[in-house]
Amino acid sequence: MKKFILIITSSIIATGLISCSTDNSPQPEPMPKIQNSDTLKSGWVQSSLVLSAAGSFVPTLFDNAIFTADSEGDIYKLDPTDGSIINQFYVNRDLSSGTGVSGGVVFVTTKDAYLLAVDKGSGKVRWQAQLPTVSIEAPQATSDIVVVRTNDAEILAFNINDGTPVWSYQKPIPPLTLRVKNSFQVIGNEVVAIGLPGGKLALLNLHTGTPIWENYIAVPEGATDLDKITDIGMRPVLDNKIMCVASYNGKIACLDAISSNVIWQKKFSTAQGLVIDQQNVYAVSQDGIVYAFDKATGAQIWQNKTMQYRNMSIPVILGNGVLVVDNDGYVHMFNRNDGQEVARISTSLSGGVSYPLVRDNGVVFQSASGYVALIKNY
């Protein structure tokens, strides 16, 4: 008999909603006034999409166009210069995630647990493959393989031409896990890095699914299943043979990507993600504090608590700043050197946003409220 797995969202835990009462839940302080020494602006906004699960639909750049989708089954091809719709297809299926793109195909998953390969010229479904359970994480595709992750933490690879299964990878998982939407990263055309429930990180051969290495970033601790949640709910980040990652209720760490040896680690909790530049690792903790750590040593460079308890997004680098979006749609920019907030704008990107698409002229986000927007720094 298949073991029942309870999946919960990290935001439920973070806001205290898993308890019977929320009266004592921490509340954010009023946002402080800032001088706006830098300038943020919405370059363009596309509002044709419907409400969709935050983070499950990720805009993807391919052949100088942005592809994305929404939960009602529409797939969009957008002009990256102004956000206008170049093409739009309706696949007549309720979608749970998207999009991956390779060659002439757009990949999405459905709420009845299928992976669809949709012709990006005609909108016709070329093939479909049934998944063991639903996937709420956007597929990622290379020139010959598309990779998906299902809700029970199984990773599957399919041939992009005909949907033939290539390999699958799954490890035993705890009885209580997070509902994650950004947990793996295809790197080049060689490997895929995967964050797993229980604090394990794995690097797999992309073409065979064979583990190159597996390592625990954090070990579950505590008296109850809730206490023991230590999932990696973010895409591992690779930078010059250093891989950095963080877990919920566990640690943030940087490893040697070749050997998996831990270079440094610190106690930390997040399911949002992190970003790296030449000197630092930037991360947002589960309670909304923005941190910078020295990439080589893990020493804390700065922290900013002004947006604590505001359900912040994964950070992304834009110019000399670190950009995050809060649940109300405010976009905040923090100076990379000292952590001071230097710019803030109100946008339509409310309800949570996707993994960011970084462009030369800005960052593209898709929100749960049905908007796709380009945020620019002048």
Side-chain angles (χ1 to χ4, degrees):
M1 180 181 293
K2 198 167 187 177
K3 184 169 73 170
F4 175 73
I5 305 296
L6 179 61
I7 301 173
I8 59 178
T9 64
S10 58
S11 60
I12 287 177
I13 301 176
T15 56
L17 296 180
I18 200 161
S19 64
C20 296
S21 171
T22 60
D23 293 343
N24 296 323
S25 300
Q27 298 298 314
E29 296 290 333
M31 287 189 292
K33 294 182 179 180
I34 59 173
Q35 295 182 351
N36 280 303
S37 54
D38 279 78
T39 304
L40 291 173
K41 186 177 182 180
S42 291
W44 51 257
V45 178
Q46 175 53 249
S47 59
S48 298
L49 289 75
V50 302
L51 301 180
S52 301
S56 290
F57 296 89
V58 179
T60 302
L61 185 69
F62 191 86
D63 279 350
N64 201 33
I66 294 173
F67 292 85
T68 193
D70 63 28
S71 61
E72 288 192 352
D74 283 299
I75 296 175
Y76 298 86
K77 179 181 180 180
L78 306 180
D79 187 326
T81 62
D82 60 9
S84 61
I85 297 174
I86 300 172
N87 214 342
Q88 180 179 349
F89 301 118
Y90 177 60
V91 296
N92 198 29
R93 304 278 285 275
D94 290 334
L95 301 182
S96 57
S97 76
T99 55
V101 188
S102 180
V105 184
V106 178
F107 297 97
V108 293
T109 66
T110 68
K111 291 183 178 179
D112 56 351
Y114 280 87
L115 171 66
L116 304 184
V118 182
D119 189 290
K120 68 183 181 69
S122 67
K124 294 182 178 180
V125 176
R126 289 190 181 182
W127 55 260
Q128 63 178 15
Q130 188 166 12
L131 304 173
T133 58
V134 69
S135 172
I136 59 170
E137 184 163 351
Q140 296 180 39
T142 67
S143 59
D144 55 353
I145 287 178
V146 56
V147 180
V148 296
R149 179 197 187 273
T150 60
N151 264 4
D152 58 356
E154 184 172 4
I155 314 298
L156 303 105
F158 299 87
N159 183 291
I160 68 165
N161 295 316
D162 56 14
T164 302
V166 179
W167 54 261
S168 66
Y169 172 90
Q170 188 175 35
K171 294 292 183 180
I173 61 177
L176 197 61
T177 68
L178 294 182
R179 187 180 177 91
V180 299
K181 299 174 181 178
N182 289 293
S183 66
F184 75 93
Q185 181 65 59
V186 173
I187 301 172
N189 197 37
E190 299 296 332
V191 297
V192 54
I194 303 165
L196 296 166
K200 179 178 281 188
L201 179 67
L203 188 71
L204 309 183
N205 182 300
L206 177 63
H207 301 283
T208 65
T210 304
I212 298 169
W213 51 254
E214 299 169 330
N215 200 351
Y216 278 98
I217 302 304
V219 177
E221 299 177 347
T224 68
D225 289 335
L226 184 61
D227 294 331
K228 293 177 182 177
I229 296 178
T230 318
D231 298 5
I232 297 176
M234 57 154 288
R235 297 190 187 190
V237 179
L238 180 67
D239 180 71
N240 193 27
K241 298 182 181 180
I242 295 176
M243 185 172 291
C244 298
V245 71
S247 69
Y248 179 86
N249 196 29
K251 295 179 180 178
I252 185 171
C254 286
L255 304 83
D256 183 307
I258 305 299
S259 66
S260 85
N261 291 333
V262 175
I263 300 170
W264 61 264
Q265 59 184 5
K266 301 176 78 75
K267 188 174 178 61
F268 201 73
S269 179
T270 187
Q272 306 307 321
L274 54 81
V275 66
I276 300 174
D277 65 12
Q278 291 181 340
Q279 285 81 35
N280 297 333
V281 177
Y282 306 93
V284 179
S285 65
Q286 198 61 35
D287 57 358
I289 301 175
V290 186
Y291 289 86
F293 300 101
D294 184 279
K295 186 170 66 174
T297 67
Q300 182 179 305
I301 305 301
W302 54 257
Q303 66 173 358
N304 188 307
K305 294 184 176 182
T306 58
M307 297 300 128
Q308 192 172 15
Y309 308 125
R310 289 190 178 275
N311 292 330
M312 308 291 270
S313 72
I314 178 176
V316 60
I317 291 173
L318 180 61
N320 193 42
V322 178
L323 215 66
V324 292
V325 185
D326 70 28
N327 228 39
D328 294 323
Y330 284 94
V331 180
H332 309 265
M333 176 180 276
F334 301 91
N335 185 284
R336 281 196 267 169
N337 297 321
D338 59 15
Q340 295 299 308
E341 187 175 6
V342 293
R344 180 194 305 151
I345 58 170
S346 177
T347 74
S348 53
L349 297 170
S350 61
V353 295
S354 64
Y355 194 85
L357 170 61
V358 179
R359 301 270 296 141
D360 291 340
N361 62 338
V363 183
V364 177
F365 296 97
Q366 180 169 335
S367 71
S369 53
Y371 291 86
V372 182
L374 171 69
I375 304 299
K376 304 178 74 172
N377 174 218
Y378 292 91

